[in-house]
Amino acid sequence: MKRLDKQGYINRIRQDHNERKLFLTLTEEGEALKDRALIGEYFKKLDNLITLHQRKYEKLKQIKKSMLEKMFPRDGNNVPEIRFAGFTDPWEQRKLDEFVSFFSGLTYSPADILRQFILSGGFDV
């Protein structure tokens, strides 16, 4: 067996220590790169999901607009293009003051107006 002198032994320990330190550093950097890659992939998927939902939202806004146009009579007509089941009578145009009373100087909330509308007979529900 080869005998190492004290300095040679110390140098070998330092070399082993440096190799272990380098290995741990590379391993930690590799793990950090994996973490960064996973985080990046997560946010990429999240961005794609947001984009898909934005497209869906825009399509639904267009459907809403189209349905509103079809569910209310156009100028000169009293029957809308699309109706809910059970509604067959033509639409009647009325003024709001036929349903509620307004007083100057007082403020009403939407709930007050709705309550007055219901109390005055409103629509048959």
Side-chain angles (χ1 to χ4, degrees):
M1 184 189 259
K2 187 175 179 183
R3 198 162 182 234
L4 295 174
D5 61 24
K6 186 177 177 183
Q7 189 60 39
Y9 183 71
I10 291 172
N11 288 340
R12 182 68 187 140
I13 290 174
R14 282 185 185 146
Q15 184 180 358
D16 286 347
H17 175 74
N18 288 337
E19 286 173 0
R20 274 192 224 123
K21 188 175 175 183
L22 177 62
F23 173 76
L24 290 175
T25 301
L26 292 174
T27 303
E28 289 171 1
E29 287 176 5
E31 292 297 318
L33 287 174
K34 285 180 188 175
D35 286 346
R36 285 186 212 134
L38 288 173
I39 290 168
E41 188 64 28
Y42 170 77
F43 282 109
K44 183 178 179 181
K45 287 179 181 178
L46 190 58
D47 285 340
N48 288 339
L49 186 61
I50 290 168
T51 300
L52 289 173
H53 281 283
Q54 284 174 333
R55 288 179 188 156
K56 184 177 180 180
Y57 170 73
E58 292 301 323
K59 286 180 183 179
L60 288 173
K61 277 179 35 177
Q62 287 298 322
I63 290 170
K64 177 184 174 183
K65 180 181 176 187
S66 174
M67 292 304 292
L68 284 171
E69 288 173 359
K70 292 180 180 191
M71 293 178 90
F72 290 94
R74 294 183 185 239
D75 292 335
N77 293 328
N78 60 0
V79 178
E81 203 175 316
I82 295 177
R83 299 198 93 173
F84 287 111
F87 292 93
T88 56
D89 294 336
W91 281 46
E92 297 177 16
Q93 188 172 5
R94 295 192 181 178
K95 294 187 177 189
L96 184 60
D97 63 4
E98 293 177 27
F99 298 102
V100 294
S101 300
F102 292 98
F103 301 93
S104 64
L106 298 175
T107 304
Y108 288 94
S109 70
D112 294 331
I113 294 172
L114 181 61
R115 189 177 313 106
Q116 178 65 30
F117 175 74
I118 292 169
L119 291 175
S120 69
F123 294 123
D124 294 332
V125 180

